[in-house]
Amino acid sequence: MRIKKKTENPSFYQELLRSGWLSVSSWLPAWCPTSVVQLKEAEEKMLKCIKSPYHKQYIFISNGNKIWTLTFSQNLSHKTPLVLLHGFGGGVGLWALNFEDLCENRTVYAFDFLGFGRSSRPQLETDAELAENQFVESIEEWRQKIGLDRMILLGHNLGGFLAAAYSLKYPSRVKHLILVEPWGFPERPSTVEQERSIPVWIKALGAVLSPFNPLAGLRIAGPFGLSLVQRIRPDFKRKYSSMFDDDTVTEYIYHCNVQSPSGETAFKNMTVPYGWAKRPMLQRIAYMHQDIPITVIYGARSCIDGNSGTTIQSLRPNSYVKTINMTSDVQENELAEELGFSKSSCSLKMAL
């Protein structure tokens, strides 16, 4: 009877919440074999093959937040620096295949978005537009603290979407916008079209998982999460086989994504079912300053809609827009000439 009386007392629930028994966030970290230190160690393993000198530091922005940053400096002040913006669930470590080549003839920066990687993971806005603006403002604060006047922005996946959003708001700071398999550009297909193309089992699974963050399964899987990454994305190990013959890459991805899901939650709030953007970039890209050149890059096995490049060209008839499909050495040479990099750097192996 005493237990029943306590259960009926609201303060008893409050005490349970304070003690952590009813808080999912309190037991998931213990269930997942991860920590900030393990993420740091995993990143260091990703970067150990980089021979070019680089500097790593936290850049402090507003509200006590900090942005984890790598800098590959070159004494070429006349060359506009290149800034790399990673994709969803990624971090600076996934550019490991590209750093050496990309920094040959200009300074290169890479940073973890707010809410991802080793950057701060604050609670971000739940509204799609406000969340997007938080990401954009964090990029601008980072630029100011670094002291850059203009940048070449190269964004992959979510990074492409946010690079475009930044260019819309701060056009004077962008010399060239490079979109590598960008997420969030096309509108969601009509309900009829979508219903025809999506199998019933995927619709059912989507309905069950819709309340959860995209990568919640990794955290729920706990110690089995690493093997889950290996099963779902075996391509990562193949892509980095020239650098690693072990599980370095999957360990890095795992530790990036089982920390507090700050940026992941913001991303979910920016999407509608099946991963489409709530605020598609193609609805706004025509308003981008016409003097900003745009290069859109797709790989031979891209899972992102490759028609966005053509659509951008039609929406910006008086601006420079180039779409390159990386299907052969001819396209690699074309991209090298387009961006002024060496051919080897233009393969962009991480993304494609």
Side-chain angles (χ1 to χ4, degrees):
M1 293 296 293
R2 286 195 299 269
I3 294 176
K4 186 175 182 179
K5 287 180 180 178
K6 286 186 178 181
T7 303
E8 292 172 349
N9 187 346
S11 64
F12 180 67
Y13 285 111
Q14 294 172 1
E15 184 60 33
L16 285 177
L17 285 169
R18 281 195 294 270
S19 66
W21 281 100
L22 299 182
S23 173
V24 173
S25 61
S26 69
W27 58 264
L28 270 182
W31 170 242
C32 298
T34 190
S35 66
V36 174
V37 172
Q38 285 172 290
L39 173 56
K40 175 178 178 290
E41 292 172 348
E43 181 190 273
E44 289 174 348
K45 286 178 67 178
M46 287 290 298
L47 300 175
K48 69 179 180 181
C49 295
I50 306 298
K51 296 179 181 178
S52 299
Y54 64 93
H55 177 64
K56 48 190 178 181
Q57 63 179 324
Y58 278 112
I59 301 299
F60 290 85
I61 60 174
S62 60
N63 299 317
N65 292 316
K66 53 189 181 180
I67 303 294
W68 180 244
T69 305
L70 303 186
T71 306
F72 293 77
S73 296
Q74 300 291 347
N75 295 319
L76 297 168
S77 57
H78 64 287
K79 288 286 190 76
T80 304
L82 173 67
V83 178
L84 305 177
L85 306 181
H86 65 77
F88 173 72
V92 296
L94 292 182
W95 296 106
L97 279 170
N98 305 107
F99 282 134
E100 296 280 13
D101 296 315
L102 291 175
C103 73
E104 280 182 359
N105 60 358
R106 70 180 67 241
T107 294
V108 173
Y109 296 91
F111 63 83
D112 289 337
F113 280 126
L114 191 66
F116 290 95
R118 294 179 62 189
S119 290
S120 296
R121 295 182 178 237
Q123 183 174 345
L124 299 174
E125 295 286 350
T126 57
D127 176 80
E129 184 174 359
L130 295 177
E132 177 187 314
N133 192 58
Q134 277 185 302
F135 283 122
V136 168
E137 289 305 313
S138 70
I139 296 171
E140 172 59 9
E141 288 188 55
W142 175 88
R143 181 202 64 80
Q144 292 178 16
K145 288 296 182 73
I146 290 289
L148 302 181
D149 182 41
R150 299 184 77 199
M151 310 172 283
I152 298 172
L153 282 183
L154 190 159
H156 171 237
N157 189 263
L158 172 62
F161 179 88
L162 294 177
Y166 177 89
S167 300
L168 277 165
K169 191 168 185 178
Y170 297 102
S172 64
R173 301 304 180 184
V174 181
K175 182 177 181 181
H176 193 156
L177 177 61
I178 306 171
L179 306 172
V180 182
E181 298 190 335
W183 167 85
F185 275 64
E187 296 182 42
R188 180 184 179 180
S190 69
T191 303
V192 175
E193 292 174 350
Q194 193 176 47
E195 289 296 321
R196 288 173 179 169
S197 61
I198 300 175
V200 174
W201 71 271
I202 291 184
K203 295 176 190 175
L205 185 62
V208 172
L209 297 179
S210 60
F212 300 97
N213 281 335
L215 300 176
L218 282 183
R219 291 179 290 278
I220 293 173
F224 306 103
L226 181 59
S227 61
L228 186 61
V229 174
Q230 293 167 345
R231 287 178 177 274
I232 295 175
R233 295 301 305 269
D235 56 309
F236 273 113
K237 190 168 185 178
R238 292 194 298 269
K239 286 179 182 178
Y240 291 83
S241 60
S242 62
M243 299 184 75
F244 311 107
D245 58 3
D246 56 12
D247 295 324
T248 294
V249 182
T250 48
E251 287 175 2
Y252 175 67
I253 294 170
Y254 173 77
H255 288 297
C256 273
N257 291 295
V258 291
Q259 310 292 321
S260 174
S262 167
E264 180 186 338
T265 301
F267 174 79
K268 179 183 182 297
N269 293 330
M270 292 163 62
T271 67
V272 293
Y274 308 110
W276 300 94
K278 282 184 179 178
R279 305 181 69 244
M281 191 54 63
L282 289 181
Q283 294 180 350
R284 299 176 272 159
I285 199 79
Y287 301 110
M288 187 178 294
H289 197 289
Q290 64 178 6
D291 291 341
I292 298 179
I294 300 178
T295 302
V296 189
I297 306 169
Y298 293 98
R301 300 179 180 178
S302 175
C303 60
I304 300 291
D305 179 11
N307 295 320
S308 292
T310 303
T311 306
I312 293 172
Q313 286 178 308
S314 67
L315 293 171
R316 292 170 56 83
N318 300 317
S319 301
Y320 181 89
V321 180
K322 177 94 169 183
T323 300
I324 300 176
N325 291 300
M326 302 294 291
T327 55
S328 69
D329 288 344
V330 175
Q331 278 72 34
E332 288 196 7
N333 287 326
E334 181 182 6
L335 182 57
E337 183 178 350
E338 169 82 2
L339 305 181
F341 298 139
S342 67
K343 176 186 170 184
S344 57
S345 67
C346 289
S347 59
L348 292 173
K349 304 179 189 70
M350 184 282 294
L352 307 179

